[in-house]
Amino acid sequence: MIHVARDQSIFSLSAEAAPVVRIRPGDALVLDTTDCFSDQVQSAEDAPDAVDWEHINPATGPVFIEGAEPGDVLAVLIERIAVGHRGVMAVSGDFGVLRDRFRGTSFEMIAIEGGSAQVAGARVPVRPMIGVIGVAPEGAPVPCGSPGSHGGNMDTRLIGEGATVYLPVFAPGALLAAGDLHAAMGDGEICGTGVEVAGSIQLRIDVRHDLSLANPVVETSEVVATIASAETLDEAADRATRDMADLLMQRLGLSAAEATMLMSAAGHLQVSQVVDPLKTARYALSKGILAQFGCDLI
Ligand code: CA
Ligand code: ZN
């Protein structure tokens, strides 16, 4: 088991970042992670000006994966996510869909116990997921708070235990990093935070030379979903839809008309998040439908 400590982290995904560890495909890897505020918020009384906002959204890594070359696809199986017993949420006049209703930023500590997070007097089921997971992007470094073709801050609820995230590789070794765990998060992440929490992520990574992707894909026990991020939700939705149609045509041999009809009849265009510098949408198709074609979509 290869273990990376939470202080081995970066704030931008970059081809220039020095790897903290080198692994081979198939190695078991555990990344310890702080929460998205670098664990700076320890009580609801912590004032927002006590938080160094230049040091938020850290990702543990980067990890160099032997044999991963530009043009390949990294298949990252999330074997396990462990989260702490205390999370944090924030409402703010500076971010979130309802920011016009708040002044400044205030924090709330969230108790996580017995499989639930206590939010506003309700028990919310704990479903741990990874907010930030990505590789070095093509070109200039991208802050870990932003999503893109390289992954990053996708804040996509489906990226949880048992899921596989497929990421296009742009730099030798891929340079994977991850962090920003959420004990729970709803689609949209409308206040700009999920139940932000420190924890650890157990991963097993494979390199696929037989696959080529423009944008990330996530596979769960139930669906395969293309993920796209763009300035507007409209653009992101359009891109995720096109990526799924392209996959259906390239990998399953469907015609454009067949892919379009199948998606319209059985697929789901969904919102991942609307609060990051770019918005993220996904297009999900059930594995029950995909299994009928007798070959793998991904
Ligand atoms: Ca996030
Ligand atoms: Zn987060």
Side-chain angles (χ1 to χ4, degrees):
M1 188 82 77
I2 296 156
H3 206 122
V4 183
R6 64 195 59 187
D7 59 348
Q8 304 274 289
S9 64
I10 49 177
F11 293 96
S12 288
L13 287 153
S14 164
E16 307 302 321
V20 296
V21 68
R22 285 173 174 257
I23 68 164
R24 290 203 191 95
D27 285 345
L29 173 71
V30 173
L31 304 177
D32 285 347
T33 62
T34 69
D35 70 25
C36 69
F37 300 115
S38 300
D39 294 344
Q40 294 178 88
V41 182
Q42 291 298 322
S43 85
E45 283 68 49
D46 278 348
D49 51 12
V51 173
D52 175 358
W53 293 93
E54 299 297 304
H55 288 94
I56 61 165
N57 288 310
T60 304
V63 176
F64 186 103
I65 297 101
E66 304 280 357
E69 293 295 336
D72 291 339
V73 169
L74 214 56
V76 184
L77 169 63
I78 302 162
E79 292 187 317
R80 191 159 177 270
I81 301 175
V83 297
H85 292 289
R86 195 179 59 162
V88 60
M89 298 191 78
V91 290
S92 177
D94 299 327
F95 54 81
V97 176
L98 303 181
R99 60 184 175 275
D100 58 303
R101 300 187 175 185
F102 304 100
R103 278 222 192 125
T105 298
S106 50
F107 299 108
E108 189 81 29
M109 306 314 292
I110 306 288
I112 300 165
E113 54 200 4
S116 301
Q118 294 289 335
V119 182
R123 286 189 306 277
V124 176
V126 168
R127 296 218 167 78
M129 52 152 285
I130 302 174
V132 173
I133 183 165
V135 295
E138 196 167 30
V142 175
C144 294
S146 233
S149 298
H150 66 294
N153 196 10
M154 295 183 282
D155 285 321
T156 294
R157 190 169 53 76
L158 305 186
I159 302 179
E161 265 184 356
T164 300
V165 181
Y166 299 88
L167 297 163
V169 176
F170 300 106
L175 303 176
L176 178 84
D180 184 29
L181 292 178
H182 301 157
M185 190 197 92
D187 277 344
E189 200 189 19
I190 63 120
C191 87
T193 62
V195 178
E196 307 294 332
V197 67
S200 71
I201 312 166
Q202 185 178 322
L203 303 171
R204 202 172 290 269
I205 297 165
D206 195 11
V207 179
R208 294 278 298 268
H209 308 289
D210 62 320
L211 202 59
S212 135
L213 291 176
N215 291 299
V217 172
V218 61
E219 176 178 13
T220 69
S221 56
E222 285 163 12
V223 298
V224 175
T226 49
I227 300 174
S229 300
E231 293 277 336
T232 66
L233 198 50
D234 281 0
E235 276 175 278
D238 191 79
R239 201 168 297 170
T241 303
R242 286 170 194 280
D243 281 352
M244 179 59 80
D246 290 346
L247 267 183
L248 291 169
M249 292 163 66
Q250 287 157 13
R251 302 277 302 176
L252 303 184
L254 299 193
S255 70
E258 288 168 334
T260 304
M261 286 189 290
L262 180 64
M263 288 170 65
S264 201
H268 300 292
L269 181 54
Q270 299 170 327
V271 174
S272 286
Q273 63 77 24
V274 295
V275 291
D276 294 336
L278 301 177
K279 319 281 188 245
T280 304
R282 61 178 185 268
Y283 193 97
L285 202 50
S286 86
K287 289 173 102 173
I289 296 283
L290 292 170
Q292 297 172 38
F293 291 92
C295 52
D296 289 331
L297 185 66
I298 192 143

